[in-house]
């Protein structure tokens, strides 16, 4: 089968490389040889063997009926959307690693692929190399999905791991991550949680069968995390993780991204550095966790190639699997009403206000740490974020920050 | 679609229950209603609603052309083999949770299913509810698999966790596991490693594409593990796990089951209690780990039902996936030649023999623990088991035990 790769950046060149270097295994697994006919890129690559396949005009690919699959690894919604849509409309299978595209247009493109009886696969869009999407939609099919909790961004997990283990500041760790290539020069998409937000939107759309609008997900990044937070966490035996979470509760569906405190009983506790993991809780299976490298050229490209292989294997199948992800919006419940226990940091000296705080918050625990004399922290009982905010309204100037405790 | 469940034991009744209680989700995911027409069991279940579906004669199922799928959850090779083979020969799809059957006859039954253009699925045979087999053969297809390391038996992992955390003896922990229903009255299959052996035989056959004969896998259980082993492990910051491991090295394929020392850098370190996990290392993906409940009625039944759903979804597909698992035997290399670092316990007083041991073994480390006065331990540099045995031959009566250190 002949295919075209759209974008010769990090992932695109990784895809080309794997298809070349693992050709023997891939041919066996796909049941046929896979041949890259074109690589679309704005740039030229003189001296690179890929140069002879480079095209600058997408129409060359679109109008070549020999090309049965396009592999979109450019990133961004436009023109990726137009390219993928055009390919599917022309009866070509499409594979993408592009989380922005899938979060925004996944439902529409899946529906179009269904109409055209081609495949639209996007395993690499969540969790990089970790098999997540296919296991979820092909294996966890007998269960009611109760919850998805994921560490879905490698950059922030690396930063949080370093801050915890080395005691370094946020700024130092960010600089180090940038130097090592784990963080972009503009790190906003990672550190503000936007990347994890797109990914949990995709997973919860697939679990719910309808569109979860990523713009409706309350997303808090890690930019406000300081060493003081790590000290309180350590005092509680907990770790700070940027969790992307979707809870399918009897009273509503709650989705959010934000820093959370994770206990050692939780398999997510052990997920360090650039590794990612997705924990899916089913009503029968209990917790299942999928763990691996959530980013990086080789791991992401491997997931893309596995999609290419799967699409090649099944392309003659006239009965394609219909993935349940309708364009109709899934109604999310207000995240402020979701109950959690919170670690709340408050200004002041505990001995002066303990009675008052005790009366108002009835916390499970008070924490005072050496060297943090002008503040203290409490662990609340389970309450909603809104309730917590209402209680703290009567304490102007006292609130520093709060972080929820993830329950196992 | 109509199906028959063979065996109304723990897993069988779990399958019936899930198909009933999650009927809504399952119908959507399967694309049609799934109806149990028969349940085969030697017993009757008067008063149980299942009674009206119970049959004692397998021919009733075999000769009913309305039954398009059999679900074998009886266990044991015979008559499971004859039943599954008969079903496939009669053009029925087959799903099983039976690791003995799959390890012994998987290649043959897959080939037969391929000839008959039906599916033969066995997700629940390894790792209980954890999606392992489908992710491996449908997702990890772009990589050369370098290694599989798994905690594949919940009973022994529970026992090792208790021995470590409670300091209890092997016998006490076994009794407790039996009382809690985590261990059989005859625990041999678990504690001797035979269960894990069948499972790594299945995984390594799928990874290698040829038959790994489970009888050729060196299998050591946990019956020889004592509190002294845990004390040495703790002194090294390591945990003892019963690992089933297949290494696809350039010089050969090495498969074994045995207790191993796992470091905190290894994601398997955090796998506690009845949980299982499989870590698969690919040449591109690096480490991927799949984690969850490796046994138990609900989790195992959920995996069986997910196979039923997958077979229902794809039964009209005339181009079934051919799973690579030939009957031809995969040649395993002698496990005694595989290099590892070892923790070796030796009789005697270290101060009396240190020079001699230093000269012979050149260990990385010596360990002497309080209260264990008549023995000591060493951590060797990387060497083969055979080399270690040859060195120790000159020390008759000194050797107590050895356990390998799993490298990350």
């Amino acid at each position: 089968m002949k295919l075209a790769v759209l974008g010769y950046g990090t992932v695109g060149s990784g895809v080309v490389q794997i298809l070349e270097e693992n050709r023997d295994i891939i041919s066996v697994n796909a049941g046929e040889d896979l041949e890259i006919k074109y690589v679309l890129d704005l740039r030229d690559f003189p001296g690179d063997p890929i140069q002879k396949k480079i095209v600058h005009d997408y129409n060359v690919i679109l109008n070549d009926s020999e090309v049965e699959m396009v592999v979109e690894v450019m990133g961004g919604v436009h023109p990726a959307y137009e390219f993928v849509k055009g390919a599917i409309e022309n009866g070509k299978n499409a594979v993408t690693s592009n989380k922005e595209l899938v979060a925004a247009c996944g439902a529409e493109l899946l529906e179009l692929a269904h109409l055209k009886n081609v495949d639209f696969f996007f395993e690499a869009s969540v969790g990089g190399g970790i098999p997540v999407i296919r296991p979820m939609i092909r294996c966890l099919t007998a269960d009611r999905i109760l919850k998805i909790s994921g560490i879905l961004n490698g950059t922030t997990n690396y930063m949080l791991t370093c801050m915890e283990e080395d005691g370094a500041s946020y700024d130092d760790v960010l600089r180090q991550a940038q130097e090592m290539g784990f963080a972009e020069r503009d790190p906003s998409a990672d550190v503000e949680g936007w990347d994890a937000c797109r990914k949990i939107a995709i997973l919860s759309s697939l679990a719910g069968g309808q569109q979860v609008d990523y713009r409706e997900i309350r997303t808090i990044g890690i930019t406000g995390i300081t060493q003081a937070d790590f000290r309180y966490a350590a005092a509680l035996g907990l770790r700070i993780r940027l969790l992307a979470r979707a809870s399918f509760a009897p009273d509503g569906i709650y989705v959010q991204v934000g820093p959370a405190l994770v206990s050692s009983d939780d398999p997510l506790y052990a997920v360090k550095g650039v590794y990612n993991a997705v924990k899916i809780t089913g009503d029968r299976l209990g917790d299942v966790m999928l763990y691996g490298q959530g980013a990086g050229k080789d791991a992401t490209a491997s997931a893309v190639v596995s999609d290419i292989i799967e699409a090649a294997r099944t392309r003659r199948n006239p009965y394609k699997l219909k993935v349940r992800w309708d364009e109709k919006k899934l109604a999310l419940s207000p995240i402020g009403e979701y109950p959690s226990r919170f670690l709340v940091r408050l200004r002041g000296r505990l001995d002066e206000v303990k009675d008052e705080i005790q009366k108002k918050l009835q916390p499970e625990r008070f924490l005072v740490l050496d060297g943090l004399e002008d503040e203290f922290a409490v662990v609340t009982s389970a309450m909603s974020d809104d309730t917590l905010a209402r209680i703290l309204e009567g304490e102007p100037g006292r609130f520093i920050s709060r972080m929820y405790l993830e329950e196992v």
Side-chain angles (χ1 to χ4, degrees), chain A:
Chain A
M1 191 185 47
K2 290 184 170 47
L3 49 99
V5 175
L6 316 186
Y8 196 61
T10 306
V11 179
S13 59
V15 167
V16 170
Q17 213 175 324
I18 294 180
L19 283 170
E20 185 63 38
E21 291 171 11
N22 284 359
R23 177 176 293 278
D24 51 345
I25 308 169
I26 290 169
S27 297
V28 170
N29 284 334
E32 62 183 316
D33 280 331
L34 302 178
E35 191 199 316
I36 296 172
K37 186 162 182 184
Y38 303 110
V39 174
L40 181 77
D41 206 289
L42 293 172
R43 299 162 293 178
D44 281 304
F45 298 89
D48 187 318
I50 207 68
Q51 177 61 41
K52 61 182 186 299
K53 298 185 175 175
I54 290 282
V55 292
H56 304 302
D57 177 6
Y58 184 54
N59 287 312
V60 174
I61 293 167
L62 208 55
N63 297 325
D64 187 336
S65 61
E66 253 197 359
V67 174
E68 294 186 62
M69 194 185 307
V70 299
V71 181
E72 186 279 304
V73 283
M74 307 182 303
V77 178
H78 301 286
Y81 166 74
E82 289 74 16
F83 286 1
V84 170
K85 188 175 170 185
I88 295 173
E89 280 174 339
N90 278 23
K92 301 182 197 302
N93 298 283
V95 166
T96 183
S97 60
N98 184 336
K99 60 197 163 282
E100 292 96 343
L101 173 65
V102 178
C105 315
E108 181 197 338
L109 294 169
L110 279 169
E111 178 62 28
L112 188 62
H114 181 66
L115 287 173
K116 289 290 181 176
N117 202 35
V118 295
D119 279 316
F120 173 53
F121 289 153
F122 42 90
E123 180 62 66
S125 67
V126 179
I130 311 171
V132 176
I133 290 175
R134 202 165 301 127
M136 201 165 96
I137 64 179
R138 299 303 281 264
C139 300
L140 306 185
T141 47
D143 276 47
R144 286 175 213 282
I145 305 282
L146 305 176
K147 193 172 163 189
I148 302 170
S149 297
I151 295 172
L152 294 176
N153 180 271
T155 304
T156 47
N157 204 56
Y158 172 82
M159 289 174 64
L160 292 172
T161 305
C162 288
M163 286 180 78
E164 178 188 324
E165 294 186 350
D166 309 339
S169 73
Y170 174 88
D171 290 333
D172 286 347
V173 165
L174 176 59
R175 203 172 309 116
Q176 190 192 331
Q178 285 169 323
E179 281 164 13
M180 296 179 71
F182 294 156
E184 309 274 341
R185 213 174 317 163
D186 174 2
S188 319
D190 294 320
V191 299
E192 300 289 358
W194 306 334
D195 173 81
C197 170
R198 300 299 191 287
K199 292 170 176 170
I200 193 67
I202 295 170
L203 293 181
S204 48
S205 294
L206 289 167
Q210 287 176 232
Q211 176 72 7
V212 171
D213 187 335
Y214 67 87
R215 291 163 300 189
E216 293 177 2
I217 299 173
R218 184 167 75 188
T219 300
I220 300 170
I222 64 163
T223 55
I225 305 288
T226 65
Q227 275 302 325
D229 296 306
F230 282 96
R231 291 195 50 209
Y232 286 114
L236 295 165
L238 304 173
R239 281 193 180 142
I240 301 173
R241 292 287 178 258
L242 182 65
L243 287 194
R245 184 174 76 172
S247 175
F248 295 82
D251 67 328
I253 299 163
Y254 299 88
V255 187
Q256 68 173 319
V257 174
L261 292 157
V262 175
S263 85
S264 63
D265 293 332
D266 192 319
L268 294 170
Y269 181 86
V271 179
K272 291 186 182 184
V274 295
Y275 279 87
N276 278 199
V278 182
K279 187 177 73 172
I280 305 175
T281 310
D283 67 339
R284 305 288 156 161
L285 284 172
D287 288 344
V288 164
M289 188 176 80
L290 311 161
Y291 164 99
Q293 290 179 35
K297 173 176 170 167
D298 281 352
T300 306
S302 169
V304 170
V305 175
S306 85
D307 270 353
I308 295 172
I309 293 168
E310 183 71 9
R313 275 172 165 180
T314 56
R315 81 193 155 104
R316 288 199 189 80
N317 175 8
Y319 303 97
K320 303 273 186 214
L321 184 73
K322 171 123 171 67
V323 177
R324 288 202 314 124
W325 178 355
D326 300 336
E327 285 193 67
K328 193 182 156 202
K329 256 199 203 179
L330 195 66
L332 302 186
S333 297
I335 192 68
E337 294 175 8
Y338 190 76
S340 296
R341 292 189 299 151
F342 290 93
L343 173 73
V344 186
R345 286 173 57 195
L346 297 167
R347 282 189 197 87
R349 295 185 62 89
L350 178 61
D351 47 8
E352 290 166 9
V353 293
K354 188 165 183 180
D355 289 349
E356 191 190 325
I357 297 292
Q358 175 67 44
K359 210 173 69 184
K360 286 188 172 163
L361 267 171
Q362 294 167 314
E364 291 183 359
R365 197 162 162 182
F366 289 97
L367 289 163
V368 178
L369 298 184
D370 287 345
L372 294 173
E373 309 303 346
D374 297 328
E375 67 166 276
F376 60 94
V378 297
V379 177
T380 70
S381 54
M383 61 177 66
S384 74
D385 209 22
D386 289 351
T387 303
L388 177 65
R390 257 195 311 277
I391 294 170
L392 293 173
E393 257 170 30
E395 298 280 335
R398 187 159 322 280
F399 176 75
I400 302 173
S401 67
R402 53 111 180 70
M403 208 183 300
Y404 77 87
L405 277 68
E406 169 76 354
E407 305 296 335
V408 182

